[in-house]
């Protein structure tokens, strides 16, 4: 069974740039969720995708957007990067309401 | 008020000690509760679900008090390998699998 994989593992961007993070869900999982974890904080829910549509969204601005593909993989896009966007971005997959399985995360640094 | 509140710690305990973590949540309609473990610079991993009747998994015991909106985790006979951050997690009611994380409690077990 293949787990959740994310790429890249680390990324450095400049303020104002755009970034795309990728996630491959665990085999058999149809739901993908994205979380942002700032240093010293718990993960914060960004949004969730189910059957290629956004299924729920947290308190994040529209410059955070996403996609889910037919194979259930997903992308997180962030436009107009700000310094406060520096964080660990976690992707989690699940089968409907089963427990979430997290990927290793992408550590984004915005300078 | 945060939706899920935990004592950030750190808890510094010797090997073999018993340690307890507490957590409170604000939404009385929450239905699912979990403890996740997160090692430094790694992704959160599900430690155990928390059931109303209380449940045990080896050295770990979780309790839920719905009336007080209070969740606890007890670790007996602490091992060095238990050193990590323990995240209290509540599933937000709302029809989709959105997890709300506390900021975590750090545990350091020393020889």
């Amino acid at each position: 069974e293949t787990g959740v994989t994310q790429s890249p593992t680390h990324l450095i961007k400049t303020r104002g740039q755009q970034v795309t993070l990728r996630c491959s869900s665990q085999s058999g999982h149809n739901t993908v969720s994205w979380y942002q974890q700032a240093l010293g904080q718990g993960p914060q829910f960004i949004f969730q995708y189910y059957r290629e549509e956004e299924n729920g969204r947290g308190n994040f601005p529209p410059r955070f957007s996403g996609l889910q593909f037919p194979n259930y993989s997903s992308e997180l896009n962030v436009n107009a990067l700000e310094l406060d966007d520096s964080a660990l971005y976690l992707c989690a997959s699940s089968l409907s309401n089963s427990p979430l399985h997290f990927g290793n995360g992408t550590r984004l640094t915005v300078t | 008020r945060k939706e899920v509140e935990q004592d950030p710690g750190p808890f510094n305990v010797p090997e073999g000690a018993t340690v307890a973590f507490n957590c409170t949540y604000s939404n009385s309609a929450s239905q699912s509760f979990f403890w996740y473990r997160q090692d430094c610079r790694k992704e959160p991993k599900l430690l155990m679900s928390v059931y109303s009747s209380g449940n045990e998994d080896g050295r770990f015991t979780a309790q839920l008090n719905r009336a007080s909106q209070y969740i606890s985790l007890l670790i007996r006979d602490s091992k060095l390998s238990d050193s990590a951050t323990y995240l209290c997690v509540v599933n937000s009611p709302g029809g989709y699998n959105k997890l709300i994380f506390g900021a975590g409690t750090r545990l350091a077990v020393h020889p």
Side-chain angles (χ1 to χ4, degrees):
Chain A
E1 181 179 84
T2 306
V4 179
T5 58
Q6 292 186 242
S7 63
T9 53
H10 296 83
L11 200 53
I12 300 174
K13 288 285 190 178
T14 303
R15 190 172 47 184
Q17 286 187 314
Q18 178 267 343
V19 69
T20 297
L21 310 182
R22 295 180 173 83
C23 172
S24 293
S25 59
Q26 184 167 322
S27 177
H29 287 182
N30 58 11
T31 303
V32 173
S33 305
W34 286 91
Y35 288 78
Q36 179 197 65
Q37 186 174 23
L39 196 63
Q41 301 297 317
Q44 299 293 312
F45 178 75
I46 303 175
F47 42 53
Q48 181 182 94
Y49 280 82
Y50 173 68
R51 291 186 174 179
E52 303 176 53
E53 292 197 3
E54 189 179 286
N55 190 37
R57 190 177 183 93
N59 189 25
F60 280 81
R63 60 189 184 85
F64 285 76
S65 63
L67 285 172
Q68 186 182 31
F69 300 100
N71 66 353
Y72 304 127
S73 66
S74 178
E75 287 182 357
L76 164 66
N77 298 292
V78 187
N79 293 325
L81 283 166
E82 300 177 359
L83 296 179
D84 286 349
D85 295 334
S86 296
L88 178 67
Y89 287 85
L90 294 159
C91 170
S93 73
S94 62
L95 182 61
S96 298
N97 283 336
S98 65
L100 299 188
H101 296 260
F102 284 90
N104 292 339
T106 295
R107 190 163 298 279
L108 173 65
T109 302
V110 182
T111 62
Chain B
R1 182 187 172 187
K2 291 183 179 178
E3 292 182 89
V4 178
E5 296 209 56
Q6 297 181 247
D7 181 343
F11 285 63
N12 294 299
V13 303
E15 276 186 289
T18 295
V19 61
F21 304 139
N22 304 317
C23 163
T24 57
Y25 60 96
S26 62
N27 192 333
S28 60
S30 299
Q31 293 295 320
S32 302
F33 309 90
F34 310 93
W35 284 100
Y36 275 71
R37 170 194 168 129
Q38 187 171 28
D39 293 294
C40 189
R41 304 182 76 81
K42 300 284 189 179
E43 76 277 17
K45 293 186 177 177
L46 178 65
L47 179 66
M48 58 196 302
S49 300
V50 186
Y51 302 117
S52 296
S53 54
N55 49 298
E56 189 174 304
D57 183 0
R59 297 181 293 108
F60 299 83
T61 301
Q63 297 276 353
L64 169 65
N65 184 322
R66 285 186 185 272
S68 302
Q69 295 176 209
Y70 172 95
I71 307 163
S72 66
L73 177 68
L74 183 76
I75 305 176
R76 291 181 298 278
D77 189 24
S78 297
K79 312 290 185 192
L80 295 176
S81 58
D82 293 335
S83 298
T85 295
Y86 290 83
L87 298 162
C88 177
V89 186
V90 173
N91 196 326
S92 173
Y96 59 96
N97 201 7
K98 170 186 172 183
L99 297 185
I100 302 171
F101 286 79
T105 299
R106 283 200 296 128
L107 172 65
V109 182
H110 56 82

